[in-house]
Amino acid sequence: MIKKFIDKLLGKSTPGTSGGKPHFGKREEVPATVHGINPELVDRRAAEVVATLKQAGYEAYIVGGAVRDLLLGLRPKDFDVATNATPEQVKGLFRRAFIIGKRFRIVHVVHGRGREHEVIEVSTFRAYLDNAAAGQVAGNEKTSKQQLSGMQHAVDASGRVLRDNVWGPQDEDATRRDFTVNAMYYDPVSQIVVDYHKGIQDAKKKTLRMIGDPATRYREDPVRIIRAVRFAAKLSALGFTIEAKTAAPLVQSQTLLADVPQSRMFDEMLKLLQTGHAIATVAQLKKLGMSKGIYPLLDVAVERAETPFVSAALADTDRRVGEGKPVAPSFLLACVLWEDVRNGWDARMTNQRQHALPALQEAIDEVFDKRIGDVSGRGKLAADMREIWVMQPRFEKRVGSTPFGMVMQPRFRAGFDFLRLRADVGEIGEALAEWWQDFQAADDDRREDLMDQAREEQKARQRVSQPTARRVPKASPDGEGQGPAASQPKPRAPRAAAADGGQDDADDFAPDQGGDAIPPDGSAPKKRRRRRRKPTGGGGGEGSSTPASE
């Protein structure tokens, strides 16, 4: 308490404030016997990157959320490395390394190829700089691109950091990170953890605490508001909570998110919903009073999270992530916005009498304009979402070549999973989903049997839904065919029954011995073209017909 008073009296400030030299924390090296990290949980390729940098004479550590997860006994999904080597120096040590980013320059070290490849993100220790001394620009990364091109450290008018590429020592790098549990460094070679801000203690207390003044840190980078929610959701199952001082400015700081580029906000929204903790994220947003105002599309997802269909989609996404299966943003967003598409589709077919497919396409266009706008709404994401939606009415067609063409489409699995969810919540019949489940996995013979089954079901529905056509006989001149009995229509055999003695419209009249058809009512017979008889064998006799040439 006395030290804090003296620091304040002398003009010293805590990290995140202007004026004086910030307190960067005391370096504490925690051995393996204390922190208890299991080396087997460390990714081999991340350890190799650290070892390569150390062999070249640089400092290098696994850093951030990976260290936090390792301390908690979890296997991290991603491994990041921090070093005192510059991006150019890092790039020179690895055969496949790429410098990316302008706001924060980092290096991607790539291991493997194809689907088996893994990227280790390597960042250089950054200096802690007073934002009051940084270059200031009036706009953002997009509107002030030319002005920012020559700057290494810049902020906008609100204090948000637009450039942060000034290298510094490790203690300053730790101070400029967000939460204490994300500001620890682990050396897989010596197996020590370097801690400057009591991160290990906060991990044991299961507390999320911001380094420095929370309101100032949120102004520096408003996306930290979303990160606070994401970490709270991810760690809530382990009992973590946000420190009261860290949580207090969250709601009023939401307005700062309006200045963040929409593309970055879209990506952060997907991280909230697709990292395996979507349901917990919705719960955290409601708990913190932030269910609205972060991002319009996220507002829709939170609003509909308790509806059966969206709830099932969120749970399915969490399950797939937990099982290590891939998830596509197009699928989840298609589920969130299906209610809008379905309502617009039904309204166009019912009120405007449009055909099904044009009505569906117009409804989809309207939803894209209203809900997604220009952010990824006209690229591959939109194409995948549209294909999932357009497949739904096509699943009703189970005869002809349609089923074979459907299962060959690249997005068939996503469209079927969407259909499966609709069946699970009772929007469509379970039998339809089961049929497609069998069809996609069946051999050719079994597929033919399934299509025969579908044809029979279709015929049965047609017999039930369509009334039987009946023939009403004309009244005869002598009065026959009139009266109550005569007014009853005579049942007519269907065309398919002709082989069993039934007749269709063309054969409804019985021919007389001369070959002319005589209607039952006695009216003049229809003229019918006679067939020429072929002569019987043995030459011209009584039974032979006269040739046409004679």
Side-chain angles (χ1 to χ4, degrees):
M1 181 68 84
I2 296 175
K3 186 178 182 300
K4 288 183 180 179
F5 175 75
I6 294 174
D7 287 343
K8 186 176 182 180
L9 190 64
L10 295 176
K12 294 182 179 180
S13 64
T14 56
T17 63
S18 59
K21 182 179 179 180
H23 176 65
F24 295 121
K26 181 180 178 181
R27 179 185 176 98
E28 182 181 358
E29 295 186 358
V30 183
T33 54
V34 176
H35 61 65
I37 288 178
N38 181 2
E40 295 182 359
L41 296 177
V42 179
D43 184 87
R44 172 183 56 82
R45 287 161 286 199
E48 289 175 356
V49 170
V50 171
T52 300
L53 287 164
K54 294 189 72 172
Q55 288 170 7
Y58 301 107
E59 295 180 61
Y61 302 86
I62 293 173
V63 69
V67 183
R68 177 200 65 222
D69 290 349
L70 289 170
L71 284 170
L72 298 173
L74 306 175
R75 185 180 295 276
K77 182 180 179 182
D78 299 309
F79 284 83
D80 298 335
V81 172
T83 178
N84 61 348
T86 65
E88 290 76 15
Q89 290 169 334
V90 173
K91 186 177 187 300
L93 293 174
F94 299 94
R95 186 171 60 87
R96 299 182 64 206
F98 308 92
I99 298 175
I100 67 168
K102 293 180 180 179
R103 187 168 181 263
F104 300 106
R105 293 179 69 219
I106 58 177
V107 181
H108 278 180
V109 178
V110 182
H111 291 264
R113 295 185 180 275
R115 293 185 177 181
E116 301 300 323
H117 85 285
E118 181 179 359
V119 174
I120 305 298
E121 189 173 282
V122 182
S123 61
T124 304
F125 294 153
R126 283 172 169 78
Y128 180 86
L129 297 177
D130 191 339
N131 292 331
Q136 291 194 357
V137 296
N140 56 35
E141 300 99 309
K142 195 171 184 180
T143 61
S144 306
K145 187 178 294 184
Q146 292 183 346
Q147 188 178 357
L148 286 167
S149 61
M151 295 185 178
Q152 297 299 321
H153 184 218
V155 297
D156 65 8
S158 68
R160 183 166 67 94
V161 178
L162 303 181
R163 285 287 187 276
D164 188 6
N165 292 310
V166 180
W167 320 132
Q170 187 183 33
D171 60 344
E172 294 188 22
D173 183 77
T175 299
R176 57 167 295 282
R177 295 181 180 272
D178 45 22
F179 299 97
T180 60
V181 294
N182 293 340
M184 294 176 285
Y185 303 79
Y186 175 65
D187 181 355
V189 178
S190 64
Q191 296 189 21
I192 67 166
V193 170
V194 178
D195 185 8
Y196 289 91
H197 298 283
K198 308 297 182 185
I200 290 182
Q201 293 182 18
D202 285 342
K204 290 180 178 179
K205 292 189 295 184
K206 299 183 178 180
T207 299
L208 284 171
R209 177 169 60 90
M210 181 70 69
I211 298 172
D213 177 60
T216 303
R217 304 307 304 279
Y218 294 144
R219 280 198 302 274
E220 290 174 354
D221 186 2
V223 169
R224 286 178 177 144
I225 299 167
I226 303 177
R227 285 167 61 85
V229 176
R230 179 153 56 89
F231 292 143
K234 177 179 180 179
L235 301 173
S236 61
L238 300 175
F240 273 73
T241 57
I242 303 179
E243 178 204 34
K245 183 180 177 181
T246 300
L250 282 173
V251 175
Q252 76 177 73
S253 298
Q254 277 186 237
T255 55
L256 299 171
L257 294 170
D259 295 325
V260 179
Q262 290 296 293
S263 57
R264 190 178 179 204
M265 286 297 299
F266 187 82
D267 291 341
E268 291 297 329
M269 178 203 67
L270 293 181
K271 290 179 183 178
L272 286 176
L273 298 178
Q274 290 199 284
T275 52
H277 312 282
I279 293 177
T281 294
V282 172
Q284 281 293 326
L285 288 170
K286 292 181 178 179
K287 178 182 177 181
L288 296 169
M290 301 170 65
S291 57
K292 288 187 177 181
I294 291 183
Y295 190 71
L297 197 52
L298 180 62
D299 294 348
V300 179
V302 175
E303 179 185 343
R304 297 176 179 173
E306 295 183 0
T307 62
F309 188 60
V310 176
S311 176
L314 294 174
D316 186 65
T317 300
D318 287 350
R319 177 188 61 79
R320 289 183 64 86
V321 173
E323 294 174 356
K325 297 179 180 179
V327 292
S330 55
F331 181 84
L332 182 57
L333 294 181
C335 292
V336 170
L337 298 178
W338 173 240
E339 180 180 328
D340 294 338
V341 172
R342 188 184 62 230
N343 292 341
W345 185 23
D346 291 343
R348 283 169 171 78
M349 288 194 298
T350 304
N351 302 331
Q352 302 177 22
R353 304 292 183 182
Q354 292 187 16
H355 292 295
L357 185 57
L360 179 57
Q361 297 284 13
E362 282 190 16
I364 293 172
D365 290 339
E366 182 182 41
V367 170
F368 281 155
D369 293 337
K370 180 180 178 182
R371 297 295 194 188
I372 299 181
D374 293 331
V375 181
S376 301
R378 295 296 183 267
K380 184 178 185 303
L381 177 76
D384 290 346
M385 293 172 65
R386 183 185 296 273
E387 194 165 359
I388 289 171
W389 287 328
V390 171
M391 274 189 192
Q392 301 311 302
R394 295 187 65 195
F395 279 118
E396 301 287 344
K397 299 178 180 179
R398 295 176 290 162
V399 295
S401 61
T402 298
F404 295 98
M406 287 280 284
V407 296
M408 296 298 293
Q409 291 192 23
R411 299 293 300 166
F412 169 78
R413 187 66 201 186
F416 170 75
D417 288 344
F418 194 91
L419 181 81
R420 177 78 265 175
L421 281 181
R422 293 176 63 204
D424 290 344
V425 300
E427 184 179 316
I428 60 170
E430 180 72 20
L432 182 63
E434 291 292 341
W435 190 93
W436 280 100
Q437 178 73 51
D438 293 342
F439 186 84
Q440 62 182 304
D443 57 21
D444 290 342
D445 292 339
R446 175 59 179 157
R447 286 183 175 183
E448 290 295 339
D449 292 341
L450 288 168
M451 292 180 69
D452 289 341
Q453 171 193 330
R455 290 189 192 95
E456 292 302 321
E457 292 175 359
Q458 182 177 341
K459 289 179 181 179
R461 287 194 300 270
Q462 289 176 346
R463 284 195 292 268
V464 171
S465 61
Q466 294 181 359
T468 305
R470 297 180 181 276
R471 182 180 183 84
V472 180
K474 295 180 181 179
S476 61
D478 58 0
E480 292 180 6
Q482 298 181 3
S487 64
Q488 295 296 326
K490 178 182 178 181
R492 172 175 168 250
R495 182 184 298 269
D500 298 326
Q503 297 172 331
D504 59 13
D505 289 341
D507 300 320
D508 211 325
F509 305 136
D512 65 355
Q513 294 179 357
D516 291 326
I518 301 175
D521 57 4
S523 60
K526 265 189 175 180
K527 290 187 177 181
R528 175 175 288 181
R529 186 173 179 177
R530 292 179 177 271
R531 290 185 178 180
R532 184 182 306 158
R533 291 185 178 180
K534 294 182 181 181
T536 56
E542 287 185 353
S544 65
S545 61
T546 306
S549 58
E550 293 183 10

